[in-house]
Amino acid sequence: DAMVIQNPRYQVTQFGKPVTLSCSQTLNHNVMYWYQQKSSQAPKLLFHYYDKDFNNEADTPDNFQSRRPNTSFCFLDIRSPGLGDAAMYLCATRLAPYNEQFFGPGTRLTVL
Amino acid sequence: GENVEQHPSTLSVQEGDSAVIKCTYSDSASNYFPWYKQELGKGPQLIIDIRSNVGEKKDQRIAVTLNKTAKHFSLHITETQPEDSAVYFCAASPFTGTASKLTFGTGTRLQVTL
């Protein structure tokens, strides 16, 4: 089945230790999004790629970076995780020009 | 920018009853309104959506209505079942060319009791 896959599902890192979260998709969608979702809150958009074009949200901290080496894969890099970065990180995809966004299962990040 | 308000924050209904969740949006340019269901520990799942050229859409037990004039839209779930228990998010998107970014509501935790 075509889907959005996130690895790992659970990630534990130490304060200040760089961490990379992975998203892959078999949908061949041209748009990929990264969201941060804290407990009992709505998903918050960090950035997205439209094909190879990177689009950062104005309030996304510099600590968060992303890479999209090809259509199928997108990575979220957190350069120096703080305790406040503990959250669920969601990847979503969309086939432009259609509106529907499809989410992966998320990676729950714990910062010790 | 767009602002989406969602009510209620929690909703408890008995199995078989109906549930209604309401959202309002602020940006008149928004023209796409999806609803997502999120179960514990999982990613949001798109359950239904509506576009601004349609007033109502139904899919089995789920329906969504849109009032563009009042800038509000609602999710209706009939004959609720325990598996409907989850957090539901509404969202709005002003689709303009290549840009399509969702602004989410704050979520409604639905509990269906036996």
Side-chain angles (χ1 to χ4, degrees):
Chain A
D1 287 341
M3 53 176 36
V4 182
I5 302 162
Q6 291 190 244
N7 286 307
R9 295 294 314 279
Y10 301 90
Q11 176 73 57
V12 180
T13 191
Q14 291 182 331
F15 182 94
K17 185 175 181 181
V19 65
T20 294
L21 309 183
S22 167
C23 178
S24 65
Q25 50 122 346
T26 60
L27 299 163
N28 205 30
H29 286 179
N30 51 357
V31 189
M32 294 186 77
Y33 302 82
W34 278 106
Y35 291 84
Q36 178 192 64
Q37 186 179 29
K38 295 190 175 180
S39 183
S40 301
Q41 295 184 20
K44 178 179 180 296
L45 182 64
L46 296 174
F47 27 58
H48 75 278
Y49 275 93
Y50 189 105
D51 291 324
K52 294 182 179 180
D53 294 332
F54 177 71
N55 298 270
N56 199 26
E57 292 301 297
D59 57 354
T60 297
D62 292 340
N63 197 28
F64 291 87
Q65 305 285 320
S66 186
R67 297 170 284 134
R68 189 179 186 187
N70 54 53
T71 300
S72 301
F73 284 87
C74 195
F75 300 99
L76 170 62
D77 301 307
I78 308 176
R79 293 192 295 188
S80 182
L83 298 179
D85 296 328
M88 173 80 88
Y89 289 88
L90 296 163
C91 174
T93 71
R94 178 172 72 91
L95 180 62
Y98 304 104
N99 297 95
E100 296 85 353
Q101 286 191 30
F102 298 94
F103 284 80
T107 294
R108 181 161 297 284
L109 177 68
T110 300
V111 182
L112 300 177
Chain B
E2 175 65 277
N3 182 51
V4 178
E5 295 188 357
Q6 182 172 347
H7 300 281
S9 57
T10 59
L11 179 60
S12 182
V13 299
Q14 284 198 322
E15 183 180 8
D17 288 349
S18 295
V20 180
I21 303 170
K22 298 182 179 181
C23 289
T24 60
Y25 62 99
S26 61
D27 190 346
S28 56
S30 287
N31 58 6
Y32 174 65
F33 307 92
W35 286 88
Y36 286 87
K37 174 184 180 182
Q38 187 172 25
E39 297 176 338
L40 191 63
K42 297 184 179 180
Q45 177 192 5
L46 179 66
I47 57 171
I48 196 167
D49 56 15
I50 192 167
R51 288 166 176 76
S52 58
N53 59 346
V54 175
E56 184 175 359
K57 184 177 178 181
K58 189 173 182 180
D59 182 4
Q60 299 183 340
R61 298 186 296 108
I62 295 173
V64 57
T65 59
L66 171 64
N67 184 325
K68 284 194 321 182
T69 303
K71 294 197 185 72
H72 66 71
F73 56 112
S74 300
L75 177 71
H76 304 253
I77 306 174
T78 58
E79 301 173 24
T80 54
Q81 302 169 1
E83 51 265 39
D84 294 330
S85 296
V87 178
Y88 291 79
F89 290 98
C90 64
S93 174
F95 184 74
T96 55
T98 58
S100 178
K101 295 193 292 186
L102 296 175
T103 300
F104 285 88
T106 48
T108 296
R109 183 172 300 276
L110 174 64
Q111 180 73 44
V112 180
T113 58
L114 296 172

